[in-house]
Amino acid sequence: MSIIVNGKPHDLAPVSLAALLTDLGYGDAIVATALNGDFVPAEARGETAVADGDRVEILAPMQGG
């Protein structure tokens, strides 16, 4: 299936948002996620289904000042 991640297409077949993060190498990284423009909290990623054509945004926190 084709999923858009941070604006770039990926051909993956994850069952959930958590599986997608693992497939992309994020594993247990601390990131914020959104699915089709809606924020998905970390504790809901395992039960959040990902479908063909979905748009996923993955954001890592930045430090600075």
Side-chain angles (χ1 to χ4, degrees):
M1 82 175 75
S2 180
I3 299 169
I4 307 299
V5 179
N6 293 344
K8 297 181 182 176
H10 290 268
D11 287 322
L12 300 166
V15 185
S16 66
L17 185 54
L20 174 69
L21 291 173
T22 299
D23 289 350
L24 293 173
Y26 287 94
D28 294 325
I30 298 173
V31 294
T33 54
L35 178 63
N36 297 321
D38 295 321
F39 173 73
V40 179
E43 58 273 3
R45 293 176 189 155
E47 58 207 38
T48 301
V50 179
D52 188 42
D54 278 350
R55 300 183 72 83
V56 176
E57 294 295 326
I58 303 169
L59 303 169
M62 296 180 69
Q63 293 184 345

